[in-house]
């Protein structure tokens, strides 16, 4: 699964360059990535909701095989049944993954050991059930939405079946725009073909290829097993150990909601203003939106809404002492700051994925997508120009 990040970066390159083309006055090219004219019948958010609802109602267990075309291949399984979710990967390096079990307002977190067994790690206090939301589940299964990368610029090929599931094949090809982008980036060819599940809208199969002036890369995956209901095999999740025993601990989830009043123990709402936000090595990563209002309205609203905010900040807080990301205790969000009460309340009314709010200081936070980075240094090197947040600059 390591290679998937390379293909995400390739998508990033194409999107960013198309934005640059629009800025150069070539709007007839930049307005739309050249390709087909077809859109997927089920949008990404609706697809995420459908998958989550299926797991709650009957359960699902989806396994696919992957191959990056070079030296990495293996299998990956994601599952949900009722209050339990899990993912398990097996490749040349062994097993990896995690699991979560809902217990009232708590979530018990499990790690996967080298032998593939799940062991208890921590208990998360999560009164607003962020970890049970379809948004959280989708963030761990991003591969299932690869087909949505260029939704609206696809070419419908026809019907197919994958792992017994009825699906429709689509193709994306850079087409006429490739020559100009290639001259800027060295990209010679970028295309993929996907099979998208008719009922759920997820990507069941992918064949993708990138050619540059220096190399050719490919990646493929296909769902090999799709189980529901009584056919789902839930992993063995041991009973949680008491706090602070055998590595387990209890802590407040930073994703929970609440009043957001000053003095809250939630870390997101303990700051006084945007001036308090700045990057600290191996502690917190902060970036500020530096694009124009026109860019935000016409380009970046795909990735970040302004809600009429005066300033917008992206924050990832949660690193271990060695600089590696702490995915259990860390949180990822976007701050929206306002200069007056009316603007703040109007923005709050329209906010999607709301996490925390501070009424007194006129700001709130919403859920953000994580950058494809595993360490603090990778955040620094990879963030600027990242296609999810193309006009942010790091606050040091």
């Amino acid at each position: 699964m390591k290679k998937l990040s390379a293909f995400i970066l390739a998508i990033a390159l194409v999107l960013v360059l198309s934005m640059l083309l629009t800025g150069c006055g070539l709007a007839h090219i930049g307005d739309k990535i050249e390709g087909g004219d077809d859109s997927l019948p089920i949008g990404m958010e609706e697809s995420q909701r459908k998958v989550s609802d299926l797991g709650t109602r009957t359960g699902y267990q989806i396994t696919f095989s992957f191959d990056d075309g070079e030296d990495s291949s293996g299998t990956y399984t994601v599952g949900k049944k009722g209050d339990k979710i899990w993912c398990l990967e097996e490749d040349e390096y062994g097993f990896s993954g995690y699991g979560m079990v809902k217990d009232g307002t708590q979530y018990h977190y499990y790690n996967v050991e080298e032998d593939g067994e799940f062991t208890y790690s921590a208990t998360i206090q999560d009164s607003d059930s962020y970890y049970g939301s379809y948004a959280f589940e989708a963030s761990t299964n991003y591969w299932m939405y690869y087909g949505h990368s260029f939704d609206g610029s696809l070419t419908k090929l026809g019907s197919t079946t994958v792992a017994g599931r009825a699906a429709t094949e689509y193709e994306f090809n850079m087409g006429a725009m490739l020559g100009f982008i290639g001259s800027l980036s060295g990209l010679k060819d970028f295309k993929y073909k996907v099979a998208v599940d008719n009922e759920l809208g997820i990507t069941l199969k992918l064949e993708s290829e990138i050619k540059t002036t220096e190399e050719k890369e490919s990646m493929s995956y296909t769902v090999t097993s799709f189980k529901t209901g009584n056919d789902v095999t839930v992993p063995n999740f041991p009973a949680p150990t008491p706090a602070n025993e055998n590595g387990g601990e209890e802590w407040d989830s930073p994703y929970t909601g609440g009043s957001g009043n000053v003095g809250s123990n939630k870390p997101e709402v303990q700051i006084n203003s945007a001036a308090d936000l700045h990057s600290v090595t191996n502690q917190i990563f902060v970036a500020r939106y530096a694009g124009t209002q026109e860019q935000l309205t016409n380009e970046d609203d795909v990735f970040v809404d302004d809600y009429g905010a005066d300033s917008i900040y992206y924050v990832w807080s949660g690193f271990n002492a060695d600089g590696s990301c702490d995915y259990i205790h860390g949180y990822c969000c976007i701050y929206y700051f306002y200069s007056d009460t009316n603007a703040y309340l109007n923005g709050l009314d329209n906010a999607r994925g709301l996490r925390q709010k501070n009424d007194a200081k006129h700001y709130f936070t919403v859920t953000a997508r994580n950058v494809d980075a595993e360490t603090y240094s990778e955040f620094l090197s990879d963030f600027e120009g990242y296609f999810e947040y193309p006009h942010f600059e790091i606050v040091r």
Side-chain angles (χ1 to χ4, degrees), residues 85-154:
I85 62 172
W86 66 93
C87 63
L88 181 66
E89 179 175 344
E90 183 180 11
D91 58 17
E92 63 272 23
Y93 302 104
F95 287 96
S96 61
Y98 74 89
M100 274 189 154
V101 177
K102 185 177 184 298
D103 180 11
T105 61
Q106 302 180 118
Y107 279 81
H108 304 305
Y109 185 92
Y110 294 81
N111 289 319
V112 173
E113 301 300 316
E114 293 181 357
D115 59 2
E117 296 297 316
F118 289 79
T119 60
Y120 172 70
S121 175
T123 293
I124 305 164
Q125 301 292 340
D126 189 8
S127 59
D128 283 348
S129 299
Y130 171 80
Y131 290 100
S133 69
Y134 70 80
F136 173 76
E137 294 171 27
S139 71
T140 66
N141 302 329
Y142 53 85
W143 60 269
M144 292 200 298
Y145 307 99
Y146 196 101
H148 290 84
S149 300
F150 290 112
D151 195 4
S153 296
L154 302 171

Side-chain angles (χ1 to χ4, degrees), residues 10-39:
I11 294 174
L13 174 64
V14 174
L15 289 175
V16 170
L17 286 174
S18 70
M19 294 173 185
L20 292 176
L21 291 174
T22 303
C24 293
L26 300 178
H28 62 288
I29 297 179
D31 282 347
K32 178 177 181 293
I33 297 294
E34 195 66 37
D37 298 310
D38 293 323
S39 298

Side-chain angles (χ1 to χ4, degrees), residues 130-131 252-257 260-274 276-277 284 313 315-317 329-337 353-358 361 363-368:
Y130 171 80
Y131 290 100
D252 286 335
S253 165
Y255 296 99
T256 56
N261 294 326
V262 175
S264 167
N265 63 356
K266 301 297 186 285
E268 290 177 38
V269 292
Q270 290 181 336
I271 67 171
N272 290 314
S273 69
D276 292 345
L277 291 175
I284 186 171
Y313 284 74
V315 172
W316 166 262
S317 178
H329 299 82
Y331 62 88
C332 182
C333 66
I334 295 180
Y335 281 79
Y336 295 89
F337 293 92
L354 183 67
R355 293 159 51 96
Q356 298 288 325
K357 61 190 182 78
N358 188 322
K361 298 297 182 180
Y363 69 82
F364 58 82
T365 63
V366 301
T367 301

